[in-house]
Amino acid sequence: MRAARAAGKHRKKDNAVRNGDARPPKQARTRKRRLLRWMLLLPVCFVVLTTLQVLLLRFIDPPFSAFMVARQFEAIGQGDFGYRMGHRWEDLEDMSPSIPVALVAAEDQNFASHHGFDFLAIEKARAHNQKMAERAEQRGTPVKRLRGASTISQQTAKNLFLWSGRSYVRKGLEAWYTVLIEALWPKRRILEVYANIAEFGDGTYGAQAAAVRFFNKDAARLSPAEASRLAAVLPNPRRYDAGRPGPYIQRRSNAIQRQMRQLGGGAWVRTLD
Protein backbone atom coordinates (compact mmCIF):
# COMPACT_ATOMS: atom_id res chain seq x y z
CA MET A 1 0.00 0.00 0.00
CA ARG A 2 2.76 2.40 0.99
CA ALA A 3 4.74 1.47 -2.08
CA ALA A 4 1.74 2.30 -4.26
CA ARG A 5 1.31 5.72 -2.62
CA ALA A 6 5.00 6.51 -3.03
CA ALA A 7 4.85 5.47 -6.66
CA GLY A 8 1.82 7.72 -7.17
CA LYS A 9 3.61 10.69 -5.64
CA HIS A 10 6.64 10.13 -7.87
CA ARG A 11 4.41 9.94 -10.94
CA LYS A 12 2.72 13.23 -10.00
CA LYS A 13 6.09 14.89 -9.43
CA ASP A 14 7.42 13.61 -12.75
CA ASN A 15 4.31 14.87 -14.55
CA ALA A 16 4.62 18.28 -12.90
CA VAL A 17 8.28 18.57 -13.92
CA ARG A 18 7.44 17.55 -17.50
CA ASN A 19 4.58 20.07 -17.64
CA GLY A 20 6.69 22.88 -16.20
CA ASP A 21 4.60 23.12 -13.00
CA ALA A 22 7.29 22.18 -10.51
CA ARG A 23 7.80 24.77 -7.79
CA PRO A 24 11.34 26.07 -7.27
CA PRO A 25 13.19 24.84 -4.21
CA LYS A 26 12.41 26.62 -0.96
CA GLN A 27 15.85 28.24 -0.83
CA ALA A 28 15.38 29.80 -4.29
CA ARG A 29 11.94 31.14 -3.34
CA THR A 30 13.39 32.67 -0.17
CA ARG A 31 16.19 34.34 -2.17
CA LYS A 32 13.70 35.82 -4.63
CA ARG A 33 11.52 37.18 -1.84
CA ARG A 34 14.56 38.72 -0.16
CA LEU A 35 15.65 40.35 -3.41
CA LEU A 36 12.16 41.72 -4.02
CA ARG A 37 12.04 43.07 -0.47
CA TRP A 38 15.35 44.91 -0.97
CA MET A 39 14.19 46.30 -4.31
CA LEU A 40 11.15 47.77 -2.57
CA LEU A 41 13.10 48.92 0.47
CA LEU A 42 15.94 50.73 -1.29
CA PRO A 43 13.79 53.57 -2.72
CA VAL A 44 12.17 54.04 0.69
CA CYS A 45 15.60 54.22 2.36
CA PHE A 46 16.79 56.71 -0.28
CA VAL A 47 13.80 58.99 0.29
CA VAL A 48 14.15 58.85 4.07
CA LEU A 49 17.91 59.39 4.14
CA THR A 50 17.97 62.26 1.64
CA THR A 51 15.05 63.95 3.38
CA LEU A 52 16.85 63.74 6.73
CA GLN A 53 20.03 64.99 5.09
CA VAL A 54 18.35 68.11 3.72
CA LEU A 55 16.33 68.68 6.89
CA LEU A 56 19.46 68.62 9.08
CA LEU A 57 21.21 71.14 6.84
CA ARG A 58 18.38 73.56 7.36
CA PHE A 59 19.76 74.05 10.87
CA ILE A 60 23.42 72.96 10.54
CA ASP A 61 25.80 75.00 8.40
CA PRO A 62 27.59 72.66 5.95
CA PRO A 63 31.39 72.87 6.43
CA PHE A 64 32.01 71.95 2.78
CA SER A 65 30.18 70.96 -0.39
CA ALA A 66 30.45 68.09 -2.84
CA PHE A 67 31.98 70.48 -5.39
CA MET A 68 34.69 71.51 -2.92
CA VAL A 69 35.60 67.88 -2.30
CA ALA A 70 35.65 67.12 -6.02
CA ARG A 71 37.90 70.13 -6.70
CA GLN A 72 40.33 69.00 -3.99
CA PHE A 73 40.58 65.52 -5.50
CA GLU A 74 40.96 67.07 -8.95
CA ALA A 75 43.95 69.08 -7.73
CA ILE A 76 45.52 65.97 -6.19
CA GLY A 77 44.97 64.06 -9.42
CA GLN A 78 46.82 66.82 -11.29
CA GLY A 79 49.73 66.63 -8.86
CA ASP A 80 48.94 69.98 -7.25
CA PHE A 81 49.48 68.90 -3.65
CA GLY A 82 49.82 72.48 -2.46
CA TYR A 83 46.29 73.38 -3.54
CA ARG A 84 44.28 74.97 -0.74
CA MET A 85 40.66 76.09 -0.75
CA GLY A 86 39.51 79.37 0.68
CA HIS A 87 36.22 79.09 2.53
CA ARG A 88 34.67 80.55 5.67
CA TRP A 89 31.00 80.45 6.57
CA GLU A 90 29.24 83.77 7.07
CA ASP A 91 25.60 84.06 8.17
CA LEU A 92 23.34 85.98 5.82
CA GLU A 93 22.68 88.73 8.35
CA ASP A 94 26.44 89.28 8.72
CA MET A 95 26.96 89.84 4.99
CA SER A 96 26.39 93.02 3.11
CA PRO A 97 22.78 92.84 1.87
CA SER A 98 24.16 93.70 -1.57
CA ILE A 99 25.58 90.17 -1.88
CA PRO A 100 22.34 88.15 -1.89
CA VAL A 101 20.61 90.80 -4.00
CA ALA A 102 23.45 90.70 -6.54
CA LEU A 103 23.26 86.90 -6.72
CA VAL A 104 19.52 86.99 -7.37
CA ALA A 105 19.89 89.80 -9.92
CA ALA A 106 22.58 87.87 -11.79
CA GLU A 107 21.36 84.28 -11.48
CA ASP A 108 17.66 84.01 -10.69
CA GLN A 109 15.47 87.09 -10.75
CA ASN A 110 12.31 85.08 -10.02
CA PHE A 111 13.89 83.40 -7.00
CA ALA A 112 11.34 84.73 -4.50
CA SER A 113 8.33 83.54 -6.47
CA HIS A 114 9.19 80.18 -8.04
CA HIS A 115 9.24 76.80 -6.30
CA GLY A 116 12.64 75.61 -7.44
CA PHE A 117 12.15 75.57 -11.22
CA ASP A 118 11.62 78.62 -13.43
CA PHE A 119 9.79 77.13 -16.39
CA LEU A 120 9.44 80.48 -18.18
CA ALA A 121 13.21 81.00 -17.98
CA ILE A 122 13.76 77.43 -19.22
CA GLU A 123 11.62 78.09 -22.31
CA LYS A 124 13.37 81.41 -23.00
CA ALA A 125 16.78 79.77 -22.66
CA ARG A 126 15.75 76.95 -25.00
CA ALA A 127 14.59 79.40 -27.68
CA HIS A 128 17.72 81.54 -27.28
CA ASN A 129 20.09 78.57 -27.48
CA GLN A 130 18.32 77.18 -30.53
CA LYS A 131 18.70 80.55 -32.28
CA MET A 132 22.40 80.75 -31.33
CA ALA A 133 22.98 77.20 -32.59
CA GLU A 134 21.32 78.01 -35.94
CA ARG A 135 23.44 81.14 -36.36
CA ALA A 136 26.62 79.28 -35.49
CA GLU A 137 25.75 76.56 -38.01
CA GLN A 138 25.23 79.17 -40.73
CA ARG A 139 28.59 80.77 -39.92
CA GLY A 140 30.33 77.43 -39.50
CA THR A 141 31.63 78.44 -36.06
CA PRO A 142 31.20 76.92 -32.58
CA VAL A 143 28.23 77.99 -30.46
CA LYS A 144 29.17 80.61 -27.88
CA ARG A 145 27.54 81.75 -24.64
CA LEU A 146 24.59 79.45 -24.41
CA ARG A 147 22.06 80.60 -21.83
CA GLY A 148 21.27 78.48 -18.80
CA ALA A 149 18.07 78.47 -16.77
CA SER A 150 19.11 76.83 -13.51
CA THR A 151 17.64 78.52 -10.46
CA ILE A 152 19.59 79.29 -7.30
CA SER A 153 17.77 76.38 -5.66
CA GLN A 154 18.98 74.00 -8.38
CA GLN A 155 22.53 75.32 -8.18
CA THR A 156 22.51 74.94 -4.40
CA ALA A 157 21.36 71.33 -4.75
CA LYS A 158 23.99 70.58 -7.39
CA ASN A 159 26.92 72.28 -5.63
CA LEU A 160 26.11 71.00 -2.16
CA PHE A 161 25.21 67.37 -2.84
CA LEU A 162 26.25 66.28 -6.33
CA TRP A 163 29.01 66.14 -8.91
CA SER A 164 29.56 68.05 -12.13
CA GLY A 165 28.40 66.56 -15.40
CA ARG A 166 25.39 66.21 -17.67
CA SER A 167 24.14 62.68 -17.10
CA TYR A 168 20.44 61.95 -16.69
CA VAL A 169 21.14 60.41 -13.29
CA ARG A 170 22.75 63.60 -12.01
CA LYS A 171 19.98 65.77 -13.43
CA GLY A 172 17.38 63.53 -11.82
CA LEU A 173 19.11 63.74 -8.44
CA GLU A 174 19.43 67.50 -8.85
CA ALA A 175 15.69 67.79 -9.43
CA TRP A 176 14.96 65.60 -6.39
CA TYR A 177 17.24 67.59 -4.08
CA THR A 178 15.79 70.83 -5.44
CA VAL A 179 12.29 69.68 -4.51
CA LEU A 180 13.48 68.77 -1.00
CA ILE A 181 15.31 72.06 -0.50
CA GLU A 182 12.31 74.11 -1.59
CA ALA A 183 9.99 72.04 0.61
CA LEU A 184 12.14 72.02 3.76
CA TRP A 185 14.13 75.28 3.68
CA PRO A 186 12.89 78.86 3.70
CA LYS A 187 14.08 81.06 0.86
CA ARG A 188 16.50 82.92 3.15
CA ARG A 189 18.24 79.66 4.04
CA ILE A 190 18.58 78.65 0.39
CA LEU A 191 20.16 81.99 -0.45
CA GLU A 192 22.40 81.85 2.63
CA VAL A 193 23.76 78.41 1.76
CA TYR A 194 24.27 79.34 -1.88
CA ALA A 195 26.18 82.51 -0.97
CA ASN A 196 28.47 80.38 1.19
CA ILE A 197 29.22 77.52 -1.24
CA ALA A 198 29.24 79.25 -4.64
CA GLU A 199 32.67 79.35 -6.28
CA PHE A 200 33.78 82.94 -6.99
CA GLY A 201 37.31 82.06 -8.12
CA ASP A 202 39.45 78.96 -8.48
CA GLY A 203 39.42 77.47 -4.99
CA THR A 204 37.54 80.41 -3.47
CA TYR A 205 34.14 79.41 -2.11
CA GLY A 206 31.64 81.66 -0.42
CA ALA A 207 31.21 85.41 -0.29
CA GLN A 208 33.43 85.89 2.77
CA ALA A 209 36.49 84.18 1.26
CA ALA A 210 35.88 85.98 -2.05
CA ALA A 211 35.59 89.39 -0.37
CA VAL A 212 38.91 88.89 1.41
CA ARG A 213 40.68 87.56 -1.67
CA PHE A 214 39.48 90.08 -4.24
CA PHE A 215 38.77 93.21 -2.17
CA ASN A 216 40.77 92.67 1.03
CA LYS A 217 37.73 93.24 3.24
CA ASP A 218 35.00 91.27 4.98
CA ALA A 219 31.78 90.40 3.18
CA ALA A 220 29.90 92.73 5.52
CA ARG A 221 31.68 95.75 4.01
CA LEU A 222 31.20 95.03 0.32
CA SER A 223 29.61 97.79 -1.74
CA PRO A 224 26.90 97.13 -4.34
CA ALA A 225 29.49 97.53 -7.11
CA GLU A 226 31.84 94.99 -5.50
CA ALA A 227 29.02 92.53 -4.82
CA SER A 228 27.88 92.82 -8.43
CA ARG A 229 31.41 92.01 -9.64
CA LEU A 230 31.41 88.83 -7.55
CA ALA A 231 28.06 87.83 -9.03
CA ALA A 232 29.20 88.76 -12.54
CA VAL A 233 31.87 86.02 -12.68
CA LEU A 234 29.22 83.32 -12.21
CA PRO A 235 28.86 80.72 -13.61
CA ASN A 236 32.48 80.69 -14.89
CA PRO A 237 34.61 81.87 -11.95
CA ARG A 238 37.76 80.11 -13.12
CA ARG A 239 37.76 82.08 -16.36
CA TYR A 240 36.88 85.53 -15.03
CA ASP A 241 38.45 87.53 -12.21
CA ALA A 242 36.31 89.72 -9.94
CA GLY A 243 39.42 91.54 -8.71
CA ARG A 244 40.61 92.48 -12.21
CA PRO A 245 37.46 92.59 -14.32
CA GLY A 246 37.72 92.77 -18.07
CA PRO A 247 35.25 94.58 -20.34
CA TYR A 248 32.72 91.73 -20.30
CA ILE A 249 32.62 91.52 -16.50
CA GLN A 250 32.38 95.31 -16.22
CA ARG A 251 29.40 95.41 -18.57
CA ARG A 252 27.76 92.49 -16.79
CA SER A 253 28.42 94.09 -13.40
CA ASN A 254 26.73 97.32 -14.51
CA ALA A 255 23.71 95.38 -15.76
CA ILE A 256 23.50 93.50 -12.45
CA GLN A 257 23.59 96.78 -10.50
CA ARG A 258 20.68 98.12 -12.54
CA GLN A 259 18.70 94.97 -11.81
CA MET A 260 19.61 95.20 -8.12
CA ARG A 261 18.05 98.66 -7.99
CA GLN A 262 14.92 97.39 -9.74
CA LEU A 263 14.59 94.62 -7.13
CA GLY A 264 14.74 97.23 -4.37
CA GLY A 265 18.38 97.03 -3.28
CA GLY A 266 19.34 95.68 0.11
CA ALA A 267 15.81 96.13 1.44
CA TRP A 268 14.69 93.30 -0.87
CA VAL A 269 16.34 90.71 1.39
CA ARG A 270 13.95 91.56 4.22
CA THR A 271 10.99 90.55 2.06
CA LEU A 272 12.13 86.92 1.91
CA ASP A 273 10.46 84.36 4.16
Side-chain angles (χ1 to χ4, degrees):
M1 194 71 168
R2 290 180 181 176
R5 289 177 183 173
K9 288 181 179 179
H10 283 301
R11 282 196 299 273
K12 288 180 181 179
K13 184 176 181 181
D14 291 340
N15 290 336
V17 171
R18 284 193 296 270
N19 295 333
D21 296 331
R23 293 185 179 180
K26 183 177 181 181
Q27 185 178 5
R29 293 200 303 271
T30 303
R31 191 180 302 116
K32 287 184 178 180
R33 284 198 296 266
R34 188 181 299 122
L35 179 61
L36 181 60
R37 191 182 304 119
W38 273 108
M39 289 177 63
L40 295 174
L41 191 59
L42 281 176
V44 175
C45 291
F46 172 79
V47 170
V48 171
L49 290 176
T50 53
T51 301
L52 287 175
Q53 182 185 24
V54 173
L55 185 60
L56 285 174
L57 290 178
R58 172 176 177 169
F59 307 102
I60 300 173
D61 299 333
F64 56 85
S65 70
F67 264 42
M68 295 180 200
V69 174
R71 182 65 184 94
Q72 186 68 61
F73 278 106
E74 180 185 336
I76 294 173
Q78 294 171 348
D80 185 5
F81 298 103
Y83 173 82
R84 295 291 182 273
M85 288 186 299
H87 176 251
R88 198 184 86 189
W89 182 273
E90 195 79 4
D91 291 340
L92 194 65
E93 57 265 25
D94 295 329
M95 296 180 190
S96 165
S98 296
I99 295 172
V101 178
L103 293 175
V104 169
E107 298 281 280
D108 186 3
Q109 296 172 17
N110 295 322
F111 173 72
S113 58
H114 66 62
H115 298 288
F117 306 94
D118 191 341
F119 296 105
L120 180 59
I122 291 172
E123 179 56 32
K124 287 182 178 179
R126 187 200 62 78
H128 170 82
N129 294 341
Q130 183 177 356
K131 185 183 298 183
M132 295 297 290
E134 291 172 354
R135 290 178 179 176
E137 185 178 357
Q138 291 173 358
R139 294 192 302 265
T141 58
V143 183
K144 296 182 179 179
R145 292 183 183 173
L146 292 178
R147 182 181 298 174
S150 291
T151 64
I152 285 177
S153 302
Q154 288 176 273
Q155 293 178 57
T156 301
K158 177 180 66 176
N159 291 358
L160 186 57
F161 298 111
L162 303 173
W163 62 94
S164 59
R166 297 181 178 276
S167 69
Y168 288 112
V169 173
R170 194 201 64 78
K171 291 299 291 184
L173 289 172
E174 178 187 312
W176 170 246
Y177 273 112
T178 300
V179 169
L180 288 180
I181 285 172
E182 281 281 339
L184 299 175
W185 294 3
K187 289 286 187 178
R188 287 181 63 88
R189 180 59 174 173
I190 298 173
L191 198 51
E192 180 178 55
V193 172
Y194 181 64
N196 276 284
I197 64 172
E199 186 178 20
F200 294 99
D202 189 13
T204 302
Y205 295 87
Q208 174 61 24
V212 171
R213 172 180 172 180
F214 297 116
F215 305 112
N216 198 29
K217 61 174 71 174
D218 287 332
R221 297 173 50 214
L222 287 186
S223 67
E226 291 165 337
S228 69
R229 279 162 61 182
L230 287 182
V233 304
L234 303 174
N236 203 339
R238 300 184 195 179
R239 177 180 178 184
Y240 301 113
D241 190 330
R244 295 188 297 273
Y248 169 72
I249 293 299
Q250 290 176 355
R251 290 194 303 271
R252 181 162 158 77
S253 175
N254 292 335
I256 291 170
Q257 288 182 70
R258 289 193 296 271
Q259 186 60 36
M260 290 167 66
R261 289 191 290 270
Q262 291 180 11
L263 286 172
W268 175 87
V269 181
R270 294 193 293 270
T271 66
L272 289 176
D273 55 358

